Amino acid sequence: MRGLPSCGKSYTSRKLAAEGGVRIEFDEYFHTQVGNDSSSYDWSYELLPQARQWNLERIISAVDAGASPIIVDSDNVAGPLTRHYATYATDRGYEIGFKEPESPWWRAIRELLRDKGANAEALRTWARKLTVMSKSTHRVPLEDFLHRIDRWENVTVERVTMAA
């Protein structure tokens, strides 16, 4: 899965996982590994390295167990971590693909992302809306949405699995 927070990645990934396979949700770390209440989302910048490592280990375990499909519910940008687990999986015979949320607002945002410069104000408006939408779940601040929009790029499987 890839997309911005509050755009429907988790909803879409749950639908995909209902058909079988394993769903590895990045946010699960902040529900189950932090704090004492699994209904509480205890997100922290300081814990991102541990969360990323925890999820990487879960992905590797799922690959090693031969689970299929493996749905990674994260923003999945073309960074080193995504490259690591995508390469790990392809080296073991897995086919990698990206799926984006199906929500109408994500489709609208996705279209705007095609030309971020020309659509900067509309994307800023969406960032403000997503900030409000995320208050009950992820509590993502406006600055994070703006940063994610700024660094968003179209990514191919080939690019992600290429050597750095």
Side-chain angles (χ1 to χ4, degrees), residues 28-143:
E28 188 178 340
Y29 180 85
F30 299 103
H31 282 286
T32 64
Q33 305 301 303
V34 182
N36 297 321
D37 180 2
S38 64
S39 67
S40 176
Y41 184 66
D42 299 308
W43 193 87
S44 164
Y45 278 113
E46 293 78 29
L47 296 176
L48 280 176
Q50 295 94 313
R52 289 178 177 138
Q53 184 61 38
W54 185 76
N55 279 292
L56 175 60
E57 291 168 7
R58 294 170 63 218
I59 292 165
I60 289 171
S61 292
V63 168
D64 289 348
S68 182
I70 300 171
I71 302 147
V72 180
D73 183 354
S74 177
D75 64 355
N76 286 313
V77 296
L81 184 62
T82 301
R83 181 172 291 116
H84 181 86
Y85 60 75
T87 302
Y88 188 87
T90 56
D91 286 351
R92 285 148 184 84
Y94 278 80
E95 184 178 317
I96 305 296
F98 289 120
K99 178 80 173 148
E100 293 185 2
E102 300 167 354
S103 68
W105 59 95
W106 174 249
R107 287 194 298 270
I109 294 166
R110 187 69 172 97
E111 190 59 36
L112 294 170
L113 287 167
R114 293 182 194 278
D115 187 349
K116 293 186 282 188
N119 298 317
E121 191 51 44
L123 287 165
R124 183 175 261 296
T125 298
W126 270 112
R128 286 190 292 271
K129 290 178 185 179
L130 292 171
T131 300
V132 172
M133 291 168 66
S134 79
K135 284 201 185 299
S136 65
T137 54
H138 302 86
R139 300 183 311 273
V140 179
L142 176 62
E143 298 77 30

Side-chain angles (χ1 to χ4, degrees), residues 1-10 12-13 16 71-79 82 85 96-103 106-107 110 113 116 148-149 151-157 159-160:
M1 295 299 310
R2 72 184 303 260
L4 297 176
S6 298
C7 285
K9 291 187 309 294
S10 295
T12 303
S13 69
L16 292 170
I71 302 147
V72 180
D73 183 354
S74 177
D75 64 355
N76 286 313
V77 296
T82 301
Y85 60 75
I96 305 296
F98 289 120
K99 178 80 173 148
E100 293 185 2
E102 300 167 354
S103 68
W106 174 249
R107 287 194 298 270
R110 187 69 172 97
L113 287 167
K116 293 186 282 188
R148 289 169 190 242
I149 287 169
R151 69 182 188 140
W152 184 267
E153 56 186 299
N154 292 322
V155 176
T156 63
V157 171
R159 179 161 171 235
V160 168

